[in-house]
Amino acid sequence: MVMRKIIISFLFLFLPMGIYSKVQSDAFKVDILEKKIKVTSPKSFKKNISVIVTNESLSKIVFKVIRDTGKSLGFHSVVPKSFKSIDLIFSDLSDEYYIIPFAPASQRVILKLGQEAYDIPSR
């Protein structure tokens, strides 16, 4: 009976830790879905970080990657149910990149180090 109480107490003590865990990644992960865009940002600073854009929608995605200085990294496209990896170079923690979806048009996605995972709804 005592052992049973110890096990139950142990479960209630440590079970919530897994429920409240945060999503982390070593690269930016941008999942483009039908109704929203999900963004996961790396927590730690590295000079070279990749962004992985995954197209989970049913249409081809065309987007542009821009640095906060205005420098463009060009246009990219991702066919449905596939992904594309793009290398980004950060000089410090305050640097930002943006993904601007053109087809279908959507809100710009901010790629900033250290942000919590977040969703961007469709317009």
Side-chain angles (χ1 to χ4, degrees), residues 32-35 53-63 76-83 101-106:
I32 300 173
L33 308 166
E34 288 295 327
K35 299 286 183 187
V53 179
T54 306
N55 183 0
E56 295 295 330
S57 69
L58 298 175
S59 59
K60 180 179 175 181
I61 304 294
V62 178
F63 61 93
H76 303 277
S77 64
V78 183
V79 295
K81 306 299 179 193
S82 65
F83 69 93
F102 286 103
S106 182

Short mmCIF file of all heavy atoms in Angstrom, two decimals, residues 32-35 53-63 76-83 101-106:
data_model
loop_
_atom_site.label_atom_id
_atom_site.label_comp_id
_atom_site.label_asym_id
_atom_site.label_seq_id
_atom_site.Cartn_x
_atom_site.Cartn_y
_atom_site.Cartn_z
N ILE A 32 4.65 25.15 -43.74
CA ILE A 32 3.56 25.85 -44.41
C ILE A 32 2.40 24.87 -44.57
O ILE A 32 2.51 23.88 -45.29
CB ILE A 32 4.01 26.43 -45.76
CG1 ILE A 32 5.17 27.40 -45.53
CG2 ILE A 32 2.85 27.09 -46.48
CD1 ILE A 32 5.82 27.92 -46.78
N LEU A 33 1.31 25.15 -43.86
CA LEU A 33 0.12 24.31 -43.88
C LEU A 33 -0.96 25.03 -44.68
O LEU A 33 -0.77 26.15 -45.13
CB LEU A 33 -0.33 24.03 -42.46
CG LEU A 33 0.76 23.47 -41.52
CD1 LEU A 33 0.32 23.54 -40.08
CD2 LEU A 33 1.10 22.05 -41.91
N GLU A 34 -2.12 24.40 -44.83
CA GLU A 34 -3.22 25.01 -45.59
C GLU A 34 -3.72 26.31 -44.96
O GLU A 34 -3.96 27.28 -45.63
CB GLU A 34 -4.38 24.03 -45.74
CG GLU A 34 -4.12 22.89 -46.70
CD GLU A 34 -3.94 23.34 -48.14
OE1 GLU A 34 -4.57 24.34 -48.57
OE2 GLU A 34 -3.15 22.69 -48.84
N LYS A 35 -3.90 26.32 -43.64
CA LYS A 35 -4.52 27.46 -42.97
C LYS A 35 -3.58 28.29 -42.11
O LYS A 35 -3.98 29.30 -41.56
CB LYS A 35 -5.67 26.97 -42.07
CG LYS A 35 -6.76 26.27 -42.82
CD LYS A 35 -7.59 27.25 -43.60
CE LYS A 35 -8.73 26.53 -44.29
NZ LYS A 35 -9.46 27.39 -45.18
N VAL A 53 12.19 24.89 -44.95
CA VAL A 53 10.82 25.26 -45.30
C VAL A 53 10.13 24.01 -45.82
O VAL A 53 10.54 23.43 -46.83
CB VAL A 53 10.80 26.38 -46.36
CG1 VAL A 53 9.37 26.74 -46.73
CG2 VAL A 53 11.56 27.60 -45.88
N THR A 54 9.09 23.58 -45.11
CA THR A 54 8.34 22.38 -45.47
C THR A 54 6.97 22.78 -45.98
O THR A 54 6.26 23.53 -45.33
CB THR A 54 8.18 21.46 -44.24
OG1 THR A 54 9.46 21.20 -43.69
CG2 THR A 54 7.53 20.17 -44.61
N ASN A 55 6.62 22.29 -47.16
CA ASN A 55 5.32 22.59 -47.76
C ASN A 55 4.37 21.43 -47.51
O ASN A 55 4.43 20.41 -48.17
CB ASN A 55 5.47 22.84 -49.26
CG ASN A 55 4.19 23.25 -49.92
OD1 ASN A 55 3.15 23.34 -49.29
ND2 ASN A 55 4.24 23.48 -51.22
N GLU A 56 3.49 21.59 -46.54
CA GLU A 56 2.47 20.58 -46.22
C GLU A 56 1.13 20.91 -46.87
O GLU A 56 0.15 20.25 -46.60
CB GLU A 56 2.30 20.46 -44.71
CG GLU A 56 3.54 19.95 -43.99
CD GLU A 56 3.91 18.52 -44.37
OE1 GLU A 56 3.00 17.73 -44.71
OE2 GLU A 56 5.10 18.21 -44.34
N SER A 57 1.11 21.95 -47.70
CA SER A 57 -0.14 22.33 -48.38
C SER A 57 -0.27 21.55 -49.69
O SER A 57 0.58 20.73 -50.02
CB SER A 57 -0.15 23.83 -48.66
OG SER A 57 0.80 24.16 -49.64
N LEU A 58 -1.32 21.83 -50.42
CA LEU A 58 -1.57 21.13 -51.68
C LEU A 58 -1.17 21.95 -52.90
O LEU A 58 -1.42 21.54 -54.03
CB LEU A 58 -3.05 20.74 -51.76
CG LEU A 58 -3.53 19.78 -50.67
CD1 LEU A 58 -5.02 19.57 -50.79
CD2 LEU A 58 -2.77 18.47 -50.72
N SER A 59 -0.58 23.12 -52.69
CA SER A 59 -0.17 23.96 -53.81
C SER A 59 1.30 24.31 -53.71
O SER A 59 1.91 24.28 -52.64
CB SER A 59 -1.01 25.24 -53.85
OG SER A 59 -0.85 25.96 -52.64
N LYS A 60 1.88 24.66 -54.85
CA LYS A 60 3.29 25.06 -54.91
C LYS A 60 3.45 26.39 -54.19
O LYS A 60 2.64 27.30 -54.35
CB LYS A 60 3.72 25.18 -56.36
CG LYS A 60 5.15 25.58 -56.56
CD LYS A 60 5.47 25.66 -58.06
CE LYS A 60 6.85 26.17 -58.29
NZ LYS A 60 7.14 26.26 -59.73
N ILE A 61 4.51 26.53 -53.39
CA ILE A 61 4.78 27.75 -52.64
C ILE A 61 5.98 28.47 -53.27
O ILE A 61 7.02 27.86 -53.50
CB ILE A 61 5.11 27.43 -51.17
CG1 ILE A 61 3.99 26.63 -50.51
CG2 ILE A 61 5.42 28.69 -50.39
CD1 ILE A 61 2.69 27.35 -50.37
N VAL A 62 5.82 29.77 -53.54
CA VAL A 62 6.92 30.61 -54.02
C VAL A 62 7.15 31.68 -52.97
O VAL A 62 6.20 32.35 -52.54
CB VAL A 62 6.57 31.26 -55.38
CG1 VAL A 62 7.71 32.17 -55.84
CG2 VAL A 62 6.29 30.19 -56.42
N PHE A 63 8.39 31.83 -52.53
CA PHE A 63 8.70 32.80 -51.49
C PHE A 63 10.07 33.42 -51.72
O PHE A 63 10.88 32.92 -52.50
CB PHE A 63 8.65 32.14 -50.10
CG PHE A 63 9.63 31.01 -49.91
CD1 PHE A 63 10.88 31.25 -49.36
CD2 PHE A 63 9.31 29.73 -50.28
CE1 PHE A 63 11.79 30.22 -49.18
CE2 PHE A 63 10.20 28.68 -50.12
CZ PHE A 63 11.44 28.93 -49.56
N HIS A 76 12.57 31.37 -54.07
CA HIS A 76 12.64 29.92 -53.93
C HIS A 76 11.23 29.37 -54.12
O HIS A 76 10.25 30.07 -53.89
CB HIS A 76 13.16 29.52 -52.55
CG HIS A 76 14.51 30.08 -52.25
ND1 HIS A 76 15.68 29.51 -52.67
CD2 HIS A 76 14.87 31.20 -51.57
CE1 HIS A 76 16.70 30.23 -52.26
NE2 HIS A 76 16.23 31.28 -51.59
N SER A 77 11.15 28.10 -54.50
CA SER A 77 9.84 27.46 -54.60
C SER A 77 9.92 26.05 -54.01
O SER A 77 10.97 25.41 -54.04
CB SER A 77 9.37 27.40 -56.06
OG SER A 77 10.22 26.58 -56.81
N VAL A 78 8.79 25.61 -53.48
CA VAL A 78 8.69 24.28 -52.88
C VAL A 78 7.40 23.66 -53.37
O VAL A 78 6.32 24.23 -53.19
CB VAL A 78 8.70 24.35 -51.34
CG1 VAL A 78 8.67 22.96 -50.74
CG2 VAL A 78 9.89 25.13 -50.82
N VAL A 79 7.51 22.50 -53.98
CA VAL A 79 6.32 21.79 -54.45
C VAL A 79 5.61 21.14 -53.27
O VAL A 79 6.20 20.98 -52.20
CB VAL A 79 6.69 20.74 -55.53
CG1 VAL A 79 7.25 21.41 -56.77
CG2 VAL A 79 7.65 19.72 -54.99
N PRO A 80 4.34 20.76 -53.42
CA PRO A 80 3.60 20.16 -52.31
C PRO A 80 4.28 18.90 -51.75
O PRO A 80 4.89 18.13 -52.48
CB PRO A 80 2.25 19.80 -52.93
CG PRO A 80 2.11 20.72 -54.08
CD PRO A 80 3.50 20.94 -54.60
N LYS A 81 4.18 18.76 -50.43
CA LYS A 81 4.69 17.59 -49.69
C LYS A 81 6.20 17.41 -49.84
O LYS A 81 6.70 16.29 -49.89
CB LYS A 81 3.96 16.31 -50.12
CG LYS A 81 2.46 16.39 -50.03
CD LYS A 81 2.00 16.64 -48.62
CE LYS A 81 0.49 16.74 -48.55
NZ LYS A 81 0.00 17.25 -47.31
N SER A 82 6.94 18.52 -49.90
CA SER A 82 8.40 18.46 -49.96
C SER A 82 8.99 19.60 -49.12
O SER A 82 8.25 20.34 -48.49
CB SER A 82 8.90 18.53 -51.41
OG SER A 82 8.58 19.77 -51.97
N PHE A 83 10.31 19.73 -49.14
CA PHE A 83 10.95 20.76 -48.33
C PHE A 83 12.15 21.34 -49.07
O PHE A 83 12.63 20.78 -50.05
CB PHE A 83 11.38 20.20 -46.97
CG PHE A 83 12.51 19.22 -47.05
CD1 PHE A 83 13.83 19.63 -46.92
CD2 PHE A 83 12.27 17.88 -47.25
CE1 PHE A 83 14.87 18.73 -47.00
CE2 PHE A 83 13.29 16.96 -47.35
CZ PHE A 83 14.60 17.39 -47.21
N PRO A 101 6.07 34.96 -48.42
CA PRO A 101 5.38 34.11 -49.39
C PRO A 101 4.65 34.96 -50.43
O PRO A 101 3.93 35.89 -50.09
CB PRO A 101 4.38 33.32 -48.54
CG PRO A 101 4.83 33.49 -47.13
CD PRO A 101 5.53 34.80 -47.08
N PHE A 102 4.87 34.63 -51.72
CA PHE A 102 4.21 35.35 -52.81
C PHE A 102 3.06 34.56 -53.42
O PHE A 102 2.06 35.14 -53.81
CB PHE A 102 5.22 35.71 -53.90
CG PHE A 102 6.13 36.83 -53.51
CD1 PHE A 102 7.43 36.59 -53.11
CD2 PHE A 102 5.68 38.14 -53.53
CE1 PHE A 102 8.26 37.63 -52.73
CE2 PHE A 102 6.51 39.18 -53.16
CZ PHE A 102 7.80 38.92 -52.76
N ALA A 103 3.24 33.26 -53.57
CA ALA A 103 2.20 32.45 -54.19
C ALA A 103 2.02 31.18 -53.38
O ALA A 103 2.91 30.34 -53.40
CB ALA A 103 2.56 32.11 -55.62
N PRO A 104 0.96 30.99 -52.66
CA PRO A 104 -0.09 31.96 -52.38
C PRO A 104 0.42 33.02 -51.41
O PRO A 104 1.26 32.75 -50.55
CB PRO A 104 -1.20 31.13 -51.74
CG PRO A 104 -0.50 29.94 -51.18
CD PRO A 104 0.68 29.69 -52.04
N ALA A 105 -0.10 34.22 -51.55
CA ALA A 105 0.34 35.35 -50.74
C ALA A 105 -0.04 35.14 -49.28
O ALA A 105 -1.10 34.63 -48.97
CB ALA A 105 -0.27 36.64 -51.27
N SER A 106 0.87 35.54 -48.40
CA SER A 106 0.62 35.40 -46.97
C SER A 106 1.43 36.46 -46.23
O SER A 106 2.16 37.23 -46.84
CB SER A 106 1.03 34.00 -46.50
OG SER A 106 0.74 33.83 -45.13
#
